[in-house]
C-alpha cells in the first residue's frame, strides 16, 4: 500500500525547519549507506548524532503522534529516529531496497527495528526544485511521488525505489522506517480500510450506533489476532 498523508507539518513548523536546516552541517550521505547502496547514492545527509537532527526528528515524531491517518496506515510499533537529506546540483539515489533491519543506536542497548514500512516527509515546496521525484516500484505498479511540503508518503520497506536527479534548486526531506504491529502488508491494508470507515461513520455521527460498535469490535479483534505486540 502506498499512502499519501497530507499536512503532517504545519506552515509554522515548516518555516522553523527551513530556518534551522538552511545552515545545517550537511555531510556526504554515502557514509550511512550499505556497500551496495553507496554505489548508487549521491546526496547530503544530516549526521544522525547531530543535535539538530535529534531536535527536528523529535518534532517529526510529535507531529506523527497527532496524525490519525499515519497511525491507521502504519500501526507503528517502533519508529527509527527520523533522518534528513538534501539533493541538489544533479544529485540522485538510484534504485535500491532499504536494509531489512536498522539498529536504533540512540537506545542502549541498540534496538533492532524491522523495516516493514518506509516514509518520506517532504520539506521543500515542489515549485522550488526540478526533478527529485521519489519513484517507487512494487506490486501496486510504479509511481513517481513529489508531494507538497509537509506531506508524507508511506510505502512498503520491501519496495524498489529511487530519487531522480535534482536539476534545479534543492530537495530537502525527512525519511525514516518503522516496524509495524502488524507485519503482513495485506492485513495492514484491511485494518486501514476498516479504521477509515469507522472514523468516517463516527464523524458523520452515524445513528446506527450498534453497527458502529460492532465494526469497532471487529477492528480490535482483528488487530488482537494479527498484531505482534
Amino acid at each position: 500500500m502506498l499512502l499519501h498523508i497530507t499536512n503532517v507539518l504545519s506552515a509554522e513548523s515548516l518555516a522553523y525547519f527551513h530556518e534551522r536546516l538552511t545552515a545545517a552541517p550537511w555531510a556526504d550521505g554515502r557514509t550511512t549507506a550499505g556497500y551496495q547502496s553507496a554505489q548508487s547514492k549521491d546526496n547530503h545527509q544530516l549526521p544522525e548524532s547531530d543535535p539538530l537532527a535529534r531536535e527536528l526528528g523529535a518534532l517529526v515524531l510529535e507531529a506523527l503522534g497527532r496524525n490519525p491517518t499515519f497511525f491507521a496506515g502504519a500501526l507503528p510499533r517502533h519508529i527509527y529516529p527520523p533522518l534528513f537529506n538534501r539533493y541538489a546540483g544533479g544529485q540522485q539515489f538510484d534504485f535500491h531496497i532499504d536494509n531489512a533491519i536498522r539498529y536504533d543506536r540512540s537506545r542502549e542497548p541498540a534496538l533492532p527495528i524491522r523495516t516493514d514500512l518506509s516514509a518520506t516527509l517532504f520539506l521543500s515546496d515542489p515549485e522550488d526544485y526540478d526533478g527529485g521525484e521519489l519513484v517507487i516500484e512494487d506490486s501496486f505498479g510504479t509511481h513517481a511521488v513529489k508531494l507538497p511540503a509537509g506531506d508524507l508518503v508511506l510505502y512498503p520497506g520491501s519496495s524498489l525505489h529511487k530519487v531522480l536527479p535534482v536539476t534545479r534548486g534543492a530537495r530537502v526531506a525527512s525519511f525514516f522506517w518503522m516496524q509495524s504491529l502488524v507485519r503482513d502488508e495485506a492485513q495492514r491494508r484491511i485494518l486501514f480500510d476498516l479504521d477509515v470507515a469507522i472514523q468516517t461513520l463516527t464523524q458523520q455521527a452515524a445513528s446506527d450506533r450498534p453497527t458502529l460498535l460492532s465494526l469497532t469490535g471487529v477492528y480490535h479483534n482483528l488487530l488482537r489476532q494479527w498484531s505482534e505486540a
Side-chain angles (χ1 to χ4, degrees), residues 50-70:
D50 189 276
L52 179 58
R54 294 180 175 177
E55 175 200 348
L56 298 184
L59 293 177
V60 170
L61 292 177
E62 288 179 14
L64 294 174
R66 298 189 296 268
N67 193 296
T69 304
F70 171 78

Side-chain angles (χ1 to χ4, degrees), residues 103-122:
Y103 287 87
D104 180 1
R105 303 191 188 281
S106 68
R107 307 195 188 196
E108 185 60 42
L111 176 69
I113 296 176
R114 188 183 65 240
T115 57
D116 296 325
L117 293 159
S118 300
T120 295
L121 173 60
F122 289 77

